[in-house]
Amino acid sequence: MNSYRSYAIFLYTAGTATACIAAVLFLCWKVLEPGLYIYIPILQPVIGIILFFAATCCIVLYGLLWIAAYTHFLQGKRLNHVFNLYLRIVYPLAKLLASNKKNVNEAYISFLNHLVLRCHFSIPPHHVLILAPHCLQWDQCPHKITRNINNCHMCGKCSIGKIRELAEKRNMHFSVATGGTLARQIVREYRPQAIVAIACERDLISGMQDVSPLPVLGLLNERPYGPCFNTTVDVEKLDKLLDIITGRKS
Ligand code: SF4
């Protein structure tokens, strides 16, 4: 999918979600206002201001997302963190409203990547962590690689060997996680300045949201045999993302 089209798909769905949130806040106000006026008049303006402020923030942030998507303005790690917090609220609703959930998920990941890429980070390679899921490993492989990636013999039967080679060539950390808990543990242990994560849509989205404000680039794995079994990844795409995050290419 073309990147700009993908951002538009996500932004239109996020727009519908934002409008729904603003409408719900307005309805809340309409329901609460008469009761507050009669029983707790002192709270009436306070609740009114809070609801109005929340609705305005959502609408303003939505407008800023469009600017961030299509211009060079509004770059920065802190601003990305604010966008991430807002998207964390909007995304579940956007997904609920979308007719094609897969498209929205992919568009969301692409948009989160775009927010990171536009900051033109130049992270030293030894501060970059490549995080991959366990399902990339060939299911017949006898070597245990989750605790120690050096146990991989780079036999070429799965993508793990190629990624290990890439990570060694670039002097980067590379780890394989069996799930979200281990992934979080690895991140705490290495304390990277940036992560390039490989996973399926669901894991990528939750992981990218969890580690914000740490910059994360997400790369979807390919699942020729179905989910969580002998998955693969486009190593060339991974190589390009590593080039970008380390500032070797823009
Ligand atoms: S490349 Fe590594 S992980 Fe994959 S099958 Fe070979 S030894 Fe096992």
Side-chain angles (χ1 to χ4, degrees), residues 13-175:
T13 329
T16 316
T18 304
C20 288
I21 292 170
V24 167
L25 291 171
F26 179 72
L27 270 177
C28 283
W29 171 242
K30 281 287 158 200
V31 170
L32 290 174
E33 189 195 10
L36 286 171
Y37 181 71
I38 297 167
Y39 299 109
I40 335 174
I42 196 163
L43 273 187
Q44 194 202 22
V46 179
I47 303 279
I49 288 168
I50 291 173
L51 292 176
F52 177 77
F53 181 72
T56 309
C57 279
C58 283
I59 294 164
V60 169
L61 279 168
Y62 179 65
L64 295 180
L65 272 190
W66 275 93
I67 298 174
Y70 295 107
T71 71
H72 296 294
F73 301 113
L74 306 175
Q75 294 177 4
K77 207 168 156 184
R78 283 204 188 127
L79 203 58
N80 276 359
H81 187 46
V82 176
F83 285 143
N84 268 309
L85 292 176
Y86 161 68
L87 289 174
R88 219 183 252 218
I89 299 166
V90 167
Y91 165 71
L93 191 56
K95 197 175 150 193
L96 201 72
L97 296 168
S99 53
N100 188 334
K101 304 213 183 315
K102 191 173 181 292
N103 266 359
V104 170
N105 284 342
E106 287 181 9
Y108 183 39
I109 292 165
S110 169
F111 191 76
L112 291 177
N113 277 349
H114 173 67
L115 289 178
V116 174
L117 291 173
R118 63 198 295 280
C119 289
H120 306 293
F121 286 110
S122 183
I123 311 280
H126 61 283
H127 286 305
V128 176
L129 170 68
I130 306 170
L131 202 50
H134 187 229
C135 59
L136 275 189
Q137 185 180 26
W138 179 46
D139 72 311
Q140 305 290 321
C141 176
H143 309 296
K144 188 160 172 53
I145 55 166
T146 42
R147 287 288 161 188
N148 185 358
I149 197 63
N150 295 327
N151 288 339
C152 165
H153 287 214
M154 299 201 271
C155 69
K157 289 220 168 72
C158 71
S159 311
I160 298 286
K162 288 181 216 148
I163 304 173
R164 186 187 157 194
E165 199 185 332
L166 204 66
E168 282 179 0
K169 201 171 76 191
R170 290 172 174 268
N171 189 25
M172 289 173 174
H173 295 295
F174 171 37
S175 282

Side-chain angles (χ1 to χ4, degrees), residues 91 105 108-109 200-210:
Y91 165 71
N105 284 342
Y108 183 39
I109 292 165
C200 60
E201 288 95 348
R202 195 198 57 185
D203 288 355
L204 264 187
I205 289 171
S206 67
M208 288 169 97
Q209 285 178 338
D210 277 2

